[in-house]
């Protein structure tokens, strides 16, 4: 799958069009579609990746640096879509859940030993 095909895929998921992305990212009309024939400039790829809230790795090669499960990808997407207040709330929740799991494991381990 090419970079343009991945952008089209994200357009379908987000209910948008390549034309809209070009307008929102201040790219010339037809710029993204020409990426099928010519290598895009890095600065433009970064702008589009940020707009689509995807990693450069995914946009360029179709894979994340580390392959994540669908739930993990969804969590990352939701995190990226929030403001700083939302990001802090998500981190606090995740940290509290991790601590709860750790305490449950320690309690379980203590009960087996004792």
């Amino acid at each position: 799958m090419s970079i343009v095909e991945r952008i089209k895929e994200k357009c379908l998921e987000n209910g948008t069009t390549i034309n809209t992305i070009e307008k929102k990212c201040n790219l010339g009309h037809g710029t993204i579609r020409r990426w099928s024939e010519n290598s895009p400039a890095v600065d433009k790829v970064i702008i589009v990746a940020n707009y689509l809230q995807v990693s450069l790795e995914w946009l360029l090669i179709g894979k994340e640096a580390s392959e994540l499960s669908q739930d993990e990808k969804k969590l990352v997407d939701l995190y990226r879509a929030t403001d700083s207040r939302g990001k802090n709330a998500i981190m606090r929740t995740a940290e509290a859940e991790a601590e709860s799991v750790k305490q449950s494991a320690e309690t379980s381990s203590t009960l087996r030993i004792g």
Side-chain angles (χ1 to χ4, degrees):
M1 185 183 298
S2 72
I3 186 171
V4 175
E5 290 170 324
R6 281 187 286 281
I7 293 169
K8 286 179 183 178
E9 179 181 295
K10 278 296 174 185
C11 285
L12 285 173
E13 286 177 20
N14 298 334
T16 191
T17 65
I18 287 178
N19 190 38
T20 299
I21 294 171
E22 289 171 338
K23 286 179 184 175
K24 297 280 187 179
C25 294
N26 295 318
L27 302 174
H29 180 71
T31 297
I32 293 174
R33 292 193 193 280
R34 285 192 294 273
W35 293 352
S36 293
E37 301 158 8
N38 302 311
S39 295
V42 173
D43 61 327
K44 291 180 176 147
V45 176
I46 291 169
I47 291 167
V48 172
N50 289 336
Y51 178 82
L52 293 173
Q53 295 183 335
V54 299
S55 70
L56 285 173
E57 293 86 3
W58 182 83
L59 195 55
L60 292 170
I61 63 173
K63 294 185 180 181
E64 295 290 342
S66 64
E67 290 298 320
L68 303 174
S69 71
Q70 286 299 99
D71 285 342
E72 291 167 330
K73 288 178 187 177
K74 183 178 179 182
L75 182 60
V76 170
D77 289 342
L78 291 170
Y79 178 85
R80 288 177 177 163
T82 64
D83 60 9
S84 61
R85 186 181 56 80
K87 286 177 173 68
N88 288 332
I90 290 168
M91 290 301 291
R92 283 191 306 272
T93 300
E95 289 166 351
E97 286 299 316
E99 184 62 29
S100 176
V101 168
K102 180 181 173 186
Q103 288 177 356
S104 292
E106 289 172 356
T107 302
S108 178
S109 177
T110 303
L111 290 175
R112 280 187 242 146
I113 295 172

